[in-house]
Amino acid sequence: VIKNKIESMHSHGLMSVMWMMRRMQLQDREVCQRVIGAVLANPDAIRPIDYIKIINCYSFFTGGAPGGPLPSNSDQISQLTINKLETIFAQQFRNAVNPMPMAVLYNDEAKDYILDRLRKVHITCRPQHLMAAYESAVAVRVLAPQVFHNLHPQSKSFYSKLSERYIK
């Protein structure tokens, strides 16, 4: 029933479908592809917060091996992600830092942007956001060492210090 109505759903509805599938671990690739197709077809209709949640759930279902080849729509998703993240404030941005899309979905430019921007807004982060940032940095360091190597020196220092912190 949901498959036939995805194209007519609004931002919150698309996010709810992906969130529900993630929570229940329902792996329906057709629904995922339709949701991402709807998001990429009309990106202006998707709220940035819903977009972040959709992408985080989609990365869970892509099935790609971390560090393996990126999905065919990775560059389009990465560019749209950067555009969406540039429009939001720090408290909304902190939810965008997630190790799954960093490992299997984003291209190098998006990884660099997200890791560098988090350093600048880390003061707004709670412990769960700092832990996700640490996990994301480790994923990038292991799976895309060239991205970590090219990070701003202050960003590298931030993540090195973050690795030494006790995060509750």
Side-chain angles (χ1 to χ4, degrees):
V1 175
I2 291 175
K3 291 179 186 178
N4 300 331
K5 298 184 181 196
I6 287 177
E7 286 76 18
S8 63
M9 287 183 174
H10 295 287
S11 178
H12 184 73
L14 293 171
M15 182 275 300
S16 297
V17 168
M18 292 298 283
W19 179 84
M20 179 269 311
M21 288 177 56
R22 171 75 168 93
R23 291 286 291 176
M24 296 181 68
Q25 307 236 343
L26 295 173
Q27 295 195 13
D28 189 336
R29 290 192 185 274
E30 184 183 351
V31 171
C32 286
Q33 292 303 325
R34 283 187 171 196
V35 169
I36 287 299
V39 168
L40 295 177
N42 194 7
D44 295 333
I46 307 297
R47 297 181 318 160
I49 296 304
D50 292 335
Y51 178 79
I52 290 168
K53 291 177 184 176
I54 290 169
I55 291 301
N56 288 343
C57 292
Y58 177 66
S59 66
F60 179 78
F61 292 119
T62 56
L70 296 173
S72 61
N73 56 2
S74 175
D75 288 332
Q76 189 178 7
I77 289 172
S78 296
Q79 189 57 47
L80 183 57
T81 299
I82 292 171
N83 293 342
K84 289 282 187 186
L85 295 179
E86 286 178 346
T87 65
I88 60 177
F89 296 111
Q91 287 186 331
Q92 296 170 330
F93 175 80
R94 63 189 184 185
N95 292 321
V97 182
N98 189 306
M100 279 301 289
M102 292 288 234
V104 300
L105 193 58
Y106 294 146
N107 64 15
D108 292 352
E109 182 184 2
K111 291 173 187 175
D112 182 61
Y113 174 80
I114 291 170
L115 289 177
D116 193 49
R117 182 165 174 200
L118 184 83
R119 171 189 58 87
K120 298 172 187 172
V121 300
H122 78 277
I123 197 71
T124 66
C125 292
R126 294 185 176 154
Q128 67 265 24
H129 303 119
L130 292 174
M131 184 56 93
Y134 172 66
E135 292 169 350
S136 297
V138 169
V140 169
R141 177 75 173 104
V142 171
L143 301 172
Q146 73 281 3
V147 174
F148 197 83
H149 178 73
N150 292 331
L151 274 178
H152 192 278
Q154 289 178 333
S155 294
K156 284 192 226 179
S157 174
F158 168 75
Y159 290 107
S160 295
K161 290 177 184 175
L162 184 61
S163 71
E164 297 169 0
R165 263 178 87 172
Y166 175 72
I167 303 173
K168 295 179 185 181

